Amino acid sequence: MESLKTHIDLQRLPRHIAIIMDGNGRWAREKGQDRLYGHFHGVESVRDIVEGCAELGVEYLTLYAFSTENWDRPAYEVTGLMELLVETIRKETETLNKNNIKLHVIGDMQMLPEYAIKELNESLEMTAANTGLNLIMALSYSSRWELVRAVKQIAQDVENGKIKPELITQDTLEQYLCTSQFPDPELMVRTSGEYRISNFLLYQLAYAELYFTNTRWPDFRKENLYEAILDFQKRERRFGKTSDQLQNDLTLPAN
Ligand code: IPE
Ligand code: IPE
Ligand code: MG
């Protein structure tokens, strides 16, 4: 079968794709297995999608791997996930380097166990000079945590006289978010048939195109990604304007 990849317009790729990797637990339970078995297989999807994005030339890929709220899951699952995370990072760093992929992490790192922080820092350092795909792992992340943290830091800087409240703009706020170095996602994908954002990039997704699929994360592969990108390319992104305005903008001579 011909790959959907051939239909993608490479000139109009989303620069930044964000994915809520959901459905590992149900995928496993449906097979009569333990939830951790689903997380384990989810890693294969991560590998495939990272590779797919790098091959296409997507510049930023954010993967929601663990939310602030996920700490409230049973200790057995949380520990299993942390071990899987460390093991995967250890194994994959070499491949990231081979493919010129730069790793980033957003989230409340202090919540992670010491051994995970150590492993992450090593991998961040080892991939820091890479110039290809930026792979952003959202770990122990939630948008409300990020926004509260930003507000606290801004308040501190106002108190220290570093910024004046009347000069605060959207740009200022963006500088205090974990994502200050990245453009906003243009496409947000959630797998497993849930239609919600679950505290993910609430500010940054303001104008993202949302794509939901019933496919569980461990079954999500490059072809599914291509399908999401093709769907994205069919849409008209109006940013509050009218369709006519956009058509007129297109017909204006480029200066
Ligand atoms: C997503 O799969 C992975 C994490 C949240 C860590 P889930 O573990 O949420 O799987 P479901 O949604 O229960 O099927
Ligand atoms: C969102 O999935 C978080 C991640 C995928 C890491 P959840 O499974 O935790 O979200 P809810 O509980 O269904 O909203
Ligand atoms: Mg879930």
Side-chain angles (χ1 to χ4, degrees), residues 17-22 49 53 61-65 187-191 200 217 220 225:
I17 301 177
I19 306 182
I20 302 179
M21 309 185 289
D22 196 19
I49 296 313
C53 284
L61 171 66
T62 299
L63 297 177
Y64 201 8
L187 170 62
M188 196 287 290
V189 174
R190 182 169 190 152
T191 60
F200 186 46
W217 178 251
F220 196 85
L225 172 77

Side-chain angles (χ1 to χ4, degrees), residues 98-115:
K98 239 183 249 160
N99 294 309
N100 197 20
I101 298 168
K102 181 170 177 171
L103 182 71
H104 306 261
V105 179
I106 57 172
D108 189 359
M109 286 303 99
Q110 286 165 12
M111 290 286 289
L112 293 172
E114 194 103 25
Y115 71 96

Side-chain angles (χ1 to χ4, degrees), residues 19-31 37-46 48-49 189 191-192 213-227:
I19 306 182
I20 302 179
M21 309 185 289
D22 196 19
N24 294 352
R26 277 163 287 163
W27 183 89
R29 296 305 298 147
E30 282 154 12
K31 293 183 157 39
Y37 179 78
H39 296 314
F40 187 75
H41 279 274
V43 175
E44 283 166 31
S45 304
V46 171
D48 203 56
I49 296 313
V189 174
T191 60
S192 91
T213 169
N214 288 331
T215 306
R216 309 268 194 239
W217 178 251
D219 286 330
F220 196 85
R221 288 292 182 275
K222 285 179 195 175
E223 284 302 317
N224 305 87
L225 172 77
Y226 302 151
E227 211 174 330

